[in-house]
């Protein structure tokens, strides 16, 4: 009959989705303001006002068949030029539009890159904690998925662990910074070490080990943290980007892949990414939103809300005694569960209407993810619940 | 290095694309009105005016994070309900929203269905002439692609040929009506024969052979031709639909899969389709356009333009002596090349600035496709060129 592996993927709800659905039901029972749902990475900050204004302007100005018609498969030329100009202006990336491939968001970008790279027997290494879909995309492309565990204190990359995972079969390392779920930004020092290791091993094995940079949170950083632009550090890099988080447009599915022009046989690599897009059923990225992002490549939603949320949440939780990974970016806080089993901890948190997600799905058991892309009021109102939760654990121990 | 099969897919331009690019260059040289480009299936008829009006209304009315946020993976509940209601109203399809999966257009629908069904060793049969990407999607999913040739006079399905291709390994038959590139609509009589054959063979082999109905041209039919709704004729059916052609929105990537509720283990089959979407990197169909189609499930562009184009083109070409397949739907005319090699014929047509596409890529050598989704003026102005072309062949022969 049908494919059992696809059935499993479609029928097994992720813990995130399950928690979210539980939250919906619970809100209907006791009122939305009484449930502290931190399960989903759905931006709460509105898209910048200019988004809707520009959408309407574009609709009014453009000839309708040109506006809504197919763009070329890699994307509208003006959009690719705008993306390229922005990356060059910000990072001196040395890109040309020929290395920009517009996609239906970061998931599509990742899926196309992994399919473009994967040959029989290849392995892909994710740096934990990692976005669970990396495993899905890798296995769908026929690759083997491996995980390198992080430094358990900082959640930065542990080079020693990464070194152990790399072998002759390694095709690529997937790196996500600012990180979902830990909120850390990998430092330039760490990045340099990773790149050195990959370069050495590429030479040793006689084939490139690629770096796939998953960067939907690039613009969501606090305290002037710098996010190194990996094309400038490592030649065989593919950058996967999405406007979902920066412009609060996750439902509209618009992003891109930028292939480093310095990659080995960069043009061939780019063609393989395009070919993978074709094979997976992607025709072009949504046309209206291609036109939109061409006009505002460097605008973002109001990031200061996420910083404010982080400060209140981190300050509150640490003052109660929680052990947190201080986030420098994205909108997630990774917190040590108060018992070894994060699932059990999340169940207990539900008693206080706190909906958290166990770190197990991100490759880091014993931790939970708090998605703080919610209203600041929800953060403030949830603090007493977090306090009661830790007190229950303290009382149990005494 | 990267995958050679993906590289091939990304670097080998399709003949359609190449012809289109040639046309662009040629138009720059001698003027757009002098080049008769019939290469692309890009609708020339504007989207109905209500499309842009509704888009602006939705943008003004909806809360922005709800409008542009993630919808649930299978699609916005209101959209799925509207699609389902429309199908039930028109075809008494007995569907519920639980069997509607919103997608990024027909290519995504097909790719998800084929991936959902494909197990190791499976074969998929396309009915020639067929859309070339069926082969790409099938092979990307790990399946083997087979072709059943049509009745050479009518381009209807030749049951004898289909019977020969079916074997124990057959997982599905892909059926496209109204047909690209032949413009034929498979008659109810033909459909019933196909369904009977598939039912018999499913029983014989002890596993379902699925019917994948690729239906982006469903609404584009002339002379009151009826397009049988396959869910009503065969239980193990998956319908792949797109609004690209009916609403002239091909760049916006919006469509759906409808799984027959009467399919064997229909819920499991639907879950497999969803799982395939997830594995291929689809997250949700573009949110704004989901909201749009929910509000106009039965509106179409002005189809009468395509009928007018067909009548002028078919009348003209037949009067000159061309042998044409009379199209009952879609916006393609399939014409017998004036020499056995359709590529050579297309090259000769270029002398008269006529840009046609050889039938070889659609599995039918010796024919060419004329996409008449162009301005009526282009059709009228091109007729003298078609006349000169056939006269050249007549003169060569005498």
């Amino acid at each position: 009959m049908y494919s059992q592996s696809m059935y499993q993927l479609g029928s097994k709800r992720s813990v995130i989705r399950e928690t979210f659905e539980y939250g919906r039901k619970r809100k209907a029972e006791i009122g939305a303001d009484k449930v502290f749902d931190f399960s989903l990475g759905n931006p709460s900050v509105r898209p910048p006002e200019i988004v809707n204004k520009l959408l309407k302007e574009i609709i009014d100005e453009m000839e309708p068949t040109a506006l809504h018609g197919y763009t070329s498969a890699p994307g509208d030329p003006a959009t690719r030029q705008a993306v390229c100009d922005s990356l060059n202006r910000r990072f001196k990336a040395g890109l040309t539009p020929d290395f920009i491939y517009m996609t239906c968001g970061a998931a599509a970008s990742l899926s196309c890159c992994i399919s473009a790279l994967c040959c029989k027997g290849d392995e892909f290494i994710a740096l934990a904690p990692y976005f669970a879909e990396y495993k899905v995309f890798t296995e769908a492309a026929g690759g083997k998925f491996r995980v390198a565990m992080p430094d358990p204190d900082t959640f930065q990359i542990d080079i020693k662990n990464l070194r152990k995972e790399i072998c002759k079969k390694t095709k690529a390392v997937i790196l996500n910074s600012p990180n979902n779920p830990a909120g850390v930004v990998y430092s330039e020092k760490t990045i340099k070490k990773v790149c050195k290791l990959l370069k050495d091993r590429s030479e040793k094995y006689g084939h490139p080990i690629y770096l796939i940079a998953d960067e939907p949170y690039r613009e969501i950083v606090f305290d002037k943290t710098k996010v190194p632009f990996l094309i400038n550090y490592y030649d065989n890099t593919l950058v996967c980007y999405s406007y979902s988080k920066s412009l609060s447009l996750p439902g509209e599915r618009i992003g891109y892949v930028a292939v480093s022009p310095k990659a080995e046989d960069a043009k061939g690599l780019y063609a393989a990414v395009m070919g993978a897009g074709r094979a997976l059923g992607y025709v072009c990225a949504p046309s209206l939103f291609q036109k939109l992002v061409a006009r505002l490549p460097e605008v973002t939603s109001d990031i200061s809300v996420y910083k404010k949320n982080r400060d209140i949440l981190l300050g509150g939780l640490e003052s109660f005694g929680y052990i947190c990974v201080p986030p420098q970016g994205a909108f997630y806080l990774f917190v040590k569960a108060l018992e070894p089993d994060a699932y059990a901890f999340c169940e207990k948190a539900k008693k206080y209407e706190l909906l958290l997600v166990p770190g197990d799905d991100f490759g880091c058991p014993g931790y939970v993810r708090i998605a703080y892309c919610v209203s600041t009021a929800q953060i403030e109102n949830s603090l007493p619940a977090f306090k009661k939760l830790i007190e229950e654990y303290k009382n149990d121990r005494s």
Side-chain angles (χ1 to χ4, degrees), chain A:
Chain A
M1 299 216 4
Y2 47 74
S3 155
Q4 282 308 304
S5 60
M6 294 304 162
Y7 169 76
Q8 291 299 335
L9 284 176
S11 58
K12 211 191 113 193
R13 218 177 227 167
S14 75
V15 183
I16 296 176
R17 278 280 156 191
E18 244 174 44
T19 310
F20 174 71
E21 293 299 336
Y22 169 86
R24 244 177 24 153
K25 258 179 41 196
R26 192 68 185 137
K27 282 174 192 170
E29 286 166 17
I30 63 166
D33 59 321
K34 305 275 190 307
V35 181
F36 309 118
D37 182 359
F38 295 103
S39 62
L40 271 198
N42 209 356
S44 62
V45 174
R46 287 186 168 202
E49 295 223 344
I50 192 163
V51 162
N52 281 348
K53 188 169 162 285
L54 270 182
L55 285 174
K56 288 190 283 179
E57 272 178 33
I58 293 167
I59 290 169
D60 283 335
E61 284 167 17
M62 279 192 73
E63 196 283 321
T65 55
L67 170 57
H68 299 302
Y70 292 115
T71 71
S72 78
D76 187 72
T79 303
R80 291 157 76 203
Q81 186 70 57
V83 167
C84 172
D85 289 349
S86 165
L87 292 174
N88 287 344
R89 195 159 47 232
R90 287 184 288 163
F91 310 115
K92 306 193 196 320
L95 283 158
T96 64
D98 292 344
F99 294 102
I100 305 293
Y101 174 65
M102 299 305 299
T103 67
C104 294
S109 299
L110 287 161
S111 172
C112 290
C113 287
I114 293 170
S115 279
L117 293 176
C118 192
C119 305
K120 208 176 146 67
D122 280 352
E123 296 185 356
F124 290 73
I125 303 172
L127 301 160
Y130 61 86
F131 179 48
E133 299 303 279
Y134 297 164
K135 183 166 187 283
V136 175
F137 303 149
T138 300
E139 291 175 353
K144 194 175 167 198
F145 186 69
R146 302 188 70 94
V147 176
M149 293 303 284
D151 177 311
D153 297 321
T154 62
F155 284 83
Q156 288 273 334
I157 299 165
D158 184 317
I159 291 285
K160 203 169 68 273
N161 287 345
L162 176 58
R163 188 177 295 126
K164 275 192 293 194
E165 295 301 328
I166 297 179
C167 71
K168 209 174 158 46
K169 294 181 194 165
T170 306
K171 178 52 67 78
V173 171
I174 309 170
L175 190 153
N176 172 219
S177 172
N179 181 264
N180 171 12
V184 299
V185 173
Y186 297 138
S187 67
E188 188 181 34
K189 200 173 136 194
T190 304
I191 293 295
K192 282 183 172 170
K193 278 190 208 162
V194 170
C195 296
K196 169 98 174 54
L197 172 62
L198 296 188
K199 198 157 171 278
D200 290 350
R201 291 300 184 94
S202 296
E203 276 165 22
K204 179 175 169 187
Y205 300 133
H207 67 78
I209 296 174
Y210 295 91
L211 195 55
I212 299 176
D214 178 24
E215 303 203 335
Y217 301 99
R218 164 165 287 283
E219 285 79 16
I220 305 178
V221 285
F222 317 127
D223 319 318
K224 297 186 180 161
T225 303
K226 286 260 183 289
V227 184
F229 187 70
L230 295 183
I231 285 181
N232 292 340
Y233 292 82
Y234 189 71
D235 288 351
N236 288 308
T237 292
L238 299 108
V239 173
C240 295
Y241 185 79
S242 164
Y243 295 88
S244 293
K245 314 293 177 174
S246 63
L247 286 177
S248 300
L249 298 171
E252 306 298 3
R253 312 315 302 144
I254 181 78
Y256 61 78
V257 176
V259 172
S260 171
K262 290 175 284 177
E264 212 173 304
D265 184 15
K267 283 190 179 169
L269 177 60
Y270 180 84
V273 173
M274 276 225 316
R278 188 179 159 192
L280 300 173
Y282 293 101
V283 173
C284 62
S287 179
L288 172 60
F289 285 88
Q290 282 198 56
K291 269 88 181 184
L292 174 79
V293 299
R295 299 203 191 183
L296 32 75
E298 286 169 37
V299 174
T300 68
S301 308
D302 181 5
I303 308 299
S304 72
V305 178
Y306 300 129
K307 180 178 179 329
K308 190 172 170 194
N309 286 359
R310 180 202 66 167
D311 291 344
I312 297 171
L313 185 66
L314 182 65
L317 264 57
E318 287 190 333
S319 77
F320 304 148
Y322 286 93
I323 297 171
C324 307
V325 183
Q328 302 151 284
F331 38 51
Y332 305 104
L333 181 64
F334 218 41
V335 181
K336 196 162 184 185
L338 298 174
E339 58 184 301
D341 179 351
Y343 286 96
F345 174 67
C346 288
E347 274 308 308
K348 212 165 273 179
K350 275 187 190 165
K351 276 202 332 204
Y352 303 96
E353 310 301 346
L354 291 166
L355 307 187
L356 318 176
V357 175
D360 300 59
D361 274 8
F362 303 98
C364 288
Y367 277 76
V368 295
R369 185 185 84 167
I370 302 177
Y372 59 79
C373 50
V374 297
S375 69
T376 305
Q378 178 178 324
I379 305 269
E380 287 166 337
N381 296 335
S382 72
L383 289 179
F386 278 110
K387 189 154 187 262
K388 282 185 208 149
L389 177 62
I390 197 167
E391 276 165 2
E392 180 183 332
Y393 277 92
K394 283 180 186 161
N395 293 337
D396 282 356
R397 243 171 265 148
S398 59

